[in-house]
Amino acid sequence: MTEVVHAKQSRERANAGTARVAAIHTEADGVVSLVLTDPAGGRLPDWAPGAHIDLVLPNGCTRQYSLCGDRWDARSYRVGVLREPASRGGSAYVHETLREGELVGLGGPRNNFPLVPARRYLFVAGGIGITPLLPMIAQADLLEADWSLLYGGRTRKSMAFLDELARYGERVRIAPQDEVGLLDLPRFLGEPREDTKVYACGPGPLLDAIAVTTSGWPRQAVRTERFTARDRAAGVRDTSFELTLARSGRTVVVGPDQTVLEAVASTGVDVLSSCRQGTCGTCETTVLAGRPDHRDSILDDDEQQAGDCMFPCVSRALGDRLVLDL
């Protein structure tokens, strides 16, 4: 269950640009951080905790990474990159080929995971899921909110940014699986409280366990961000439908075995995309007419009901026609 945040507020768009890789640091086994700056030394777009950017790597891959640096530093971004064993070319390129001084494409920032005001926060991170939570923790600490972090990982050596977190003392609970086993979520989360918000990011099994543990909490109290798509039920409709691109004046039929994103590309219209699994929000598109069949892992129930945006990498149409602002 997620906090209700209007789509137009939670996913700000910015024009794609270029950034220079100013530094690459090893943060843990299999994790590096990239420090990105404007090639001309100028300011980068402002961002808030929970935001992410799209990196267009020199090998052509576009990947989404959470911003995990100092949000008040207007001249640099920092992201953490896990070396994925089954990399499709993104993390492998970053770890093996990318070098300091190179230029990368930059999209965003946009925020699907905003930190909302609360008197008390409970943060839960699994592995590289610590990255979006780092600036949230800094913000909560700055505002003198009551907060705690439970951070799990396979081993202590695989858990990034432990040195940074050490300054927070007992507010941070480090729980490597090879030392303590699975995270004790019921004990950490406790009973629901009206003044408490839960923010969690990590692998699917962890977020599924959090959903079970917090099933009795108010629906606005728990917010999660997934790096991989949750299992989706069968779509409402998988037949062909007509797609109209309002700005370009083109119409195309989306076949039953074709994504909307593929159909749009066939007309020569480019839409920036990254995960193609409905998790990153990069390809978010405004819906002008028709009802989308939402199959993403981003929008909550209220946002899906609004029907004013969709993610064409996975979602389709409930009816015979959709009109998109493309």
Side-chain angles (χ1 to χ4, degrees), residues 31-70:
V31 180
V32 298
S33 65
L34 307 180
V35 178
L36 307 169
T37 59
D38 179 80
R43 289 177 60 97
L44 294 170
D46 293 338
W47 59 281
H52 67 265
I53 57 173
D54 301 300
L55 286 190
V56 183
L57 299 170
N59 68 346
C61 289
T62 300
R63 296 291 181 265
Q64 170 229 354
Y65 299 108
S66 296
L67 289 168
C68 63
D70 179 2

Side-chain angles (χ1 to χ4, degrees), residues 4-225:
V4 178
V5 182
H6 195 277
K8 295 297 184 293
Q9 296 173 334
S10 64
R11 281 173 290 279
E12 304 91 347
R13 289 193 175 276
N15 292 329
T18 304
R20 186 179 303 279
V21 180
I24 303 176
H25 302 292
T26 299
E27 303 292 351
D29 287 351
V31 180
V32 298
S33 65
L34 307 180
V35 178
L36 307 169
T37 59
D38 179 80
R43 289 177 60 97
L44 294 170
D46 293 338
W47 59 281
H52 67 265
I53 57 173
D54 301 300
L55 286 190
V56 183
L57 299 170
N59 68 346
C61 289
T62 300
R63 296 291 181 265
Q64 170 229 354
Y65 299 108
S66 296
L67 289 168
C68 63
D70 179 2
R71 65 167 298 199
W72 305 109
D73 180 356
R75 297 185 182 276
S76 73
Y77 288 161
R78 184 180 68 168
V79 298
V81 182
L82 171 68
R83 176 64 160 94
E84 297 281 0
S87 172
R88 293 177 292 126
S91 70
Y93 186 90
V94 169
H95 279 256
E96 299 171 6
T97 306
L98 191 65
R99 296 291 181 265
E100 293 182 4
E102 287 194 75
L103 297 180
V104 293
L106 181 67
R110 58 179 59 85
N111 201 337
N112 303 325
F113 195 40
L115 184 70
V116 300
R119 294 183 59 187
R120 179 172 178 258
Y121 297 99
L122 295 175
F123 299 109
V124 182
I128 198 63
I130 189 61
T131 51
L133 301 186
L134 287 175
M136 293 187 183
I137 290 168
Q139 183 76 1
D141 203 60
L142 178 66
L143 297 175
E144 298 183 345
D146 181 14
W147 65 270
S148 297
L149 166 68
L150 179 61
Y151 179 17
R154 296 188 312 279
T155 66
R156 194 174 294 269
K157 289 184 178 180
S158 71
M159 299 171 67
F161 307 111
L162 292 183
D163 291 344
E164 290 185 24
L165 292 168
R167 68 175 181 269
Y168 296 119
E170 294 182 357
R171 288 179 179 266
V172 175
R173 306 180 194 182
I174 305 300
Q177 186 173 350
D178 65 338
E179 297 178 21
V180 301
L182 297 177
L183 298 181
D184 189 347
L185 296 174
R187 182 177 180 182
F188 177 73
L189 296 173
E191 296 298 321
R193 286 173 36 174
E194 291 185 359
D195 64 348
T196 300
K197 302 291 185 185
V198 176
Y199 279 80
C201 186
L206 170 63
L207 300 187
D208 293 341
I210 289 174
V212 172
T213 304
T214 60
S215 59
W217 287 56
R219 62 182 302 274
Q220 297 90 356
V222 183
R223 188 164 182 87
T224 62
E225 183 173 63

